[in-house]
Amino acid sequence: AQSVAQPEDQVNVAEGNPLTVKCTYSVSGNPYLFWYVQYPNRGLQFLLKYITGDNLVKGSYGFEAEFNKSQTSFHLKKPSALVSDSALYFCAVRDMRSSNTGKLIFGQGTTLQVKP
Amino acid sequence: NAGVTQTPKFQVLKTGQSMTLQCAQDMNHEYMSWYRQDPGMGLRLIHYSVGAGITDQGEVPNGYNVSRSTTEDFPLRLLSAAPSQTSVYFCASSPKDRQVAQYFGPGTRLLVL
């Protein structure tokens, strides 16, 4: 079965420190992977994606993610966290089982708390 | 472009009432979908559509109906609301190309008493 796991419900970091939000996946074939961010009482905003090519993907707001095929992981990273990065982060993978859908399979989400 | 719009933003229903959550997009996207978000469970797919006149069930379709008469609109109908349907509902759209990210609406917060 295709699935996405975010093993941490919450990640706490101090402002200025590097942050990592973890994501692992299980899919058949090559994965299309996405990270979204949700600020309080808002919809989901796209951050970045991995489709193919360079394993290090750069996205919005200084975020990047590293695709690791052998570990089936797609961890979200940022070199220096900001208080304004505090939000709920979702990892997602495209459902590749059907050729005519764009379905996304989401992880359960990780709350990032950045403290001053 | 307005992107993906949803109405209403917030709604309170009594058990057994019916209602329709509206979703519209102005990007000419073929693919549209409805998710519900519950604490600790991420987003779960309710129904989706790959084009006008074509809909299919997602992961949690029971108690919900959809239709897609136009490319722009994808309403979600609650036939007889239950407290278990208390949730935040998100509509999303994207082109058919699976390499392109989905665009999400701002959400509808639904409380069923």
Side-chain angles (χ1 to χ4, degrees):
Chain A
Q2 302 190 95
S3 64
V4 175
Q6 293 179 242
E8 302 154 317
D9 290 336
Q10 182 157 329
V11 170
N12 298 310
V13 297
E15 188 173 32
N17 282 2
L19 70 87
T20 299
V21 181
K22 296 179 180 177
C23 171
T24 59
Y25 64 89
S26 174
V27 298
S28 53
N30 295 321
Y32 291 172
L33 294 157
F34 301 83
W35 274 102
Y36 287 86
V37 59
Q38 184 182 30
Y39 298 101
N41 300 314
R42 304 288 294 275
L44 276 71
Q45 296 179 28
F46 167 70
L47 274 181
L48 51 78
K49 66 181 179 182
Y50 173 82
I51 304 299
T52 187
D54 194 347
N55 289 344
L56 186 63
V57 179
K58 294 190 184 298
S60 305
Y61 311 122
F63 283 93
E64 56 191 29
E66 186 169 11
F67 172 68
N68 187 319
K69 189 170 184 178
S70 62
Q71 296 186 5
T72 62
S73 67
F74 188 54
H75 300 331
L76 182 70
K77 301 182 179 185
K78 188 173 183 181
S80 179
L82 299 172
V83 172
S84 57
D85 291 330
S86 299
L88 182 58
Y89 291 81
F90 288 100
C91 181
V93 65
R94 278 276 198 231
D95 186 340
M96 306 295 275
R97 288 171 294 184
S98 175
S99 61
N100 65 352
T101 76
K103 289 191 288 185
L104 282 175
I105 300 168
F106 283 88
Q108 69 270 35
T110 299
T111 298
L112 173 66
Q113 191 76 261
V114 181
K115 299 191 174 175
Chain B
N1 281 353
V4 181
T5 58
Q6 291 183 238
T7 56
K9 290 185 178 179
F10 180 69
Q11 183 73 44
V12 179
L13 290 179
K14 294 181 179 178
T15 297
Q17 287 184 316
S18 63
M19 80 160 294
T20 298
L21 280 63
Q22 301 292 344
C23 173
Q25 52 93 8
D26 60 358
M27 297 172 281
N28 202 32
H29 286 167
E30 297 95 337
Y31 184 82
M32 296 186 74
S33 54
W34 277 101
Y35 295 89
R36 59 177 289 172
Q37 182 182 23
D38 301 294
M41 303 188 75
L43 277 77
R44 293 181 292 169
L45 184 66
I46 304 171
H47 285 286
Y48 66 96
S49 169
V50 299
I54 307 170
T55 64
D56 205 349
Q57 296 180 352
E59 192 182 350
V60 287
N62 292 343
Y64 307 95
N65 272 358
V66 292
S67 60
R68 184 99 179 265
S69 56
T70 66
T71 299
E72 294 78 19
D73 300 300
F74 191 45
L76 177 72
R77 296 182 187 84
L78 278 70
L79 308 172
S80 177
S84 60
Q85 294 178 304
T86 293
S87 188
V88 182
Y89 292 84
F90 289 100
C91 180
S93 76
S94 67
K96 261 188 179 178
D97 184 352
R98 286 175 293 179
Q99 297 186 11
V100 178
Q102 288 189 0
Y103 293 79
F104 282 80
T108 293
R109 190 173 295 271
L110 178 67
L111 175 61
V112 182
L113 302 175

